[in-house]
Every structure is written in structure tokens, then in C-alpha cells.
Amino acid sequence: MHVSFVGAGPGDPELITVKGQRLLGEADVIIYAGSLVNPALLSLAKQGASIYNSASMTLDQVIEVMEKATERGQKTVRLHTGDPSIYGAIQEQMDALDKKNISYEVIPGVSSFLATAAALQREYTLPDVSQTVIITRLEGRTPVPEKEKLALLASHNATMCIFLSVHMIDSVMKELIDGGYHQDTPVAIVQKASWPDQKIFRGTVSTIGKIITDAKIDRTAMIVVGRCLDSQYALSRLYAPEFGHMYRDAK
Ligand code: SAH
């Protein structure tokens, strides 16, 4: 492969995959998303590797670096925060590489919404509470399709993980309440999940806005909403004695 899109994980450098780590060590050229990828990962690069921070580059410049490396017979790693398939803007890069007949692969990563569940020590899919996780964002400069507006999604009362929106916390909570979440639905906000300076804030749909504004949290945070943050739920059937499955007979 000429180019490997690699999920860097949410921050903790030990949360990259074994495969991603190997490819990083082998790469001649590394282009990383400087705003969120932990720079500690760059210490895995081999000596002499060329390293670019994509924060100051345009799409065309990124593709040009990949193309030049490919012409020289070199391997490129494009390092994206979390998992590249979620708000990673990799489709446009893959489409541009297709046009130039440059081969590529995608190595998944631990997304920040999963590192957030780990930080909270909660399960998103609790029996009798919610069996659905909605990954979404509030509309910003990137438009959101009409049928995916937060208020509409909120009507399901499922577990929601809201990316890229903490700087608009009041609008997020207003839409959630308009959409049907009860005022006392629990909310947790994790900033920089898995980083040494990780912070956790808790409240409800009606109280979290002030908590987050007072704490001046306006970036790199995941908003989790739903009753899964409460402790009342039915026990999973998977480990119930009378519930048999492929690997265990019912008693
Ligand atoms: N591809 C990434 C998301 C990129 S969009 C992933 O899979 O996680 C950037 C948004 O992700 C941020 O605005 C924030 O909402 C979230 N995010 C990224 N890293 C985070 C972290 N360590 N803790 C909490 N939220 C994070």
C-alpha cells in the first residue's frame, strides 16, 4: 500500500492499534492531524521520516505530499484522531487518491466516544434503558441533513454521543429538551478522554449548560446524554443462568 490512513486513538498513545503502531514505525512520510493527535505518537517514527502537521495544510497540499512520496516509492501514514471514519474527512482524500491510482488502506482506531465510555465507566447499551447509540453533532459550519436535526434524534431517548458541539452547549441542550428528553435526563461531558488532563463534568439536560460555561470548556469534549448514565437497569440476559447461547447451555 502506498498510503495508510491510521486511527491514532483518542489521545493516550497506548490506544493506537498494534498494526497502526507498526505502520507508523515503517512510514517514510507521516501526515498527522496536529490539533488532536497526541504528538507523543510521533516518537514511534523512524529516524529520517518526514513529518507534516495537516492543521496548516489544504486538501490539495496533503494529496501532493502523498503523491510525491508515492513517486519516490515511499510509504505514507496519514494519522487521524480517534477512528478515521468518524468526522475524519478521509473520504475526500481517498477519492482524490483513487483519481491518481494511488493505493491505500484504512486502519481503524479507538474513537473518542468509546474512550469516553471507558472514562465514565458506563455501558451505553443497557437492557431496558437503551439499545441504541446515536453518534451525531449540532449543525455548525458543516450542515446537518434536515432529518438528522438534534431535536428529531432526541425523540428516540436513546444514548447520544454528541461530537464537535460543546462550544454550543446551550443550543445542544435546548434542542434535546425540545426533542423530548426529560429535564432531569443525565448528561456527562468528558474533555480530552484518555489524556493525562482528562476532565469529567456531570449534570442534567437542564443544568449542564451552566456547569460547562462556568468551567470554560469549549473544545475537545464529548457530550453523552441518556439514562444509561443512571444506575437503574435490567441485568443483561447474556450472563443469566437460564439464558443459553452458542457457548453455554441454559440451566
Ligand atoms: N475521528 C475522531 C473525531 C474527530 S472530530 C474520533 O473518532 O474520535 C473531533 C471531535 O471529537 C471533538 O470536537 C470532540 O467532540 C471529539 N473528541 C476527539 N478527541 C476527544 C477526546 N480525547 N475526548 C473527548 N472528545 C474527543
Side-chain angles (χ1 to χ4, degrees):
M1 284 308 153
H2 296 119
V3 176
S4 303
F5 292 93
V6 174
D12 178 349
E14 290 191 329
L15 290 177
I16 190 169
T17 62
V18 174
K19 189 165 191 169
Q21 183 177 32
R22 173 173 63 76
L23 290 167
L24 251 188
E26 292 171 0
D28 305 293
V29 174
I30 296 168
I31 311 171
Y32 72 105
S35 52
L36 286 172
V37 167
N38 191 333
L41 281 170
L42 301 175
S43 63
L44 298 172
K46 69 180 178 190
Q47 219 167 13
S50 310
I51 299 180
Y52 297 83
N53 179 350
S54 63
S56 56
M57 298 163 77
T58 63
L59 173 63
D60 287 346
Q61 288 170 333
V62 168
I63 300 299
E64 196 186 319
V65 169
M66 292 172 172
E67 191 174 16
K68 292 245 166 77
T70 304
E71 283 166 7
R72 290 193 295 265
Q74 296 182 324
K75 284 185 174 182
T76 303
V77 160
R78 175 71 168 110
L79 201 54
H80 279 275
T81 174
D83 182 89
S85 70
I86 298 182
Y87 307 116
I90 62 164
Q91 196 65 55
E92 58 202 38
Q93 298 174 63
M94 294 190 289
D95 292 349
L97 294 181
D98 280 339
K99 287 204 189 101
K100 295 180 185 291
N101 281 319
I102 297 175
S103 63
Y104 55 81
E105 63 187 338
V106 182
I107 314 300
V110 176
S111 180
S112 57
F113 81 97
L114 300 171
T116 294
L120 294 170
Q121 302 185 336
R122 299 305 304 176
E123 176 175 344
Y124 288 147
T125 53
L126 287 177
D128 282 0
V129 176
S130 177
Q131 292 288 293
T132 304
V133 183
I134 296 176
I135 292 169
T136 190
R137 63 173 300 171
L138 190 65
E139 184 160 86
R141 271 181 300 177
T142 308
V144 169
E146 195 59 39
K147 287 188 170 164
E148 296 177 15
K149 296 287 181 212
L150 261 193
L152 274 179
L153 298 178
S155 67
H156 297 284
N157 277 223
T159 302
M160 289 179 92
C161 294
I162 307 173
F163 285 67
L164 294 161
S165 306
V166 79
H167 59 293
M168 302 178 283
I169 189 76
D170 288 332
S171 314
V172 172
M173 294 307 141
K174 184 181 177 308
E175 289 223 25
L176 294 180
I177 292 170
D178 288 352
Y181 275 100
H182 197 271
Q183 301 268 358
D184 66 4
T185 308
V187 179
I189 294 188
V190 180
Q191 186 181 45
K192 297 193 84 175
S194 86
W195 290 73
D197 52 347
Q198 162 185 298
K199 288 188 187 132
I200 298 180
F201 301 87
R202 293 173 194 277
T204 64
V205 178
S206 53
T207 64
I208 198 78
K210 183 168 167 12
I211 293 168
I212 289 302
T213 311
D214 288 352
K216 300 194 167 56
I217 302 300
D218 61 359
R219 67 188 64 194
T220 328
M222 183 66 51
I223 306 172
V224 181
V225 189
R227 290 274 163 215
C228 71
L229 299 169
D230 278 345
S231 46
Q232 292 298 315
Y233 61 95
L235 288 183
S236 161
R237 305 311 297 151
L238 191 57
Y239 297 104
E242 72 281 8
F243 188 80
H245 55 67
M246 212 193 317
Y247 302 106
R248 182 166 52 74
D249 292 332
K251 294 224 164 73

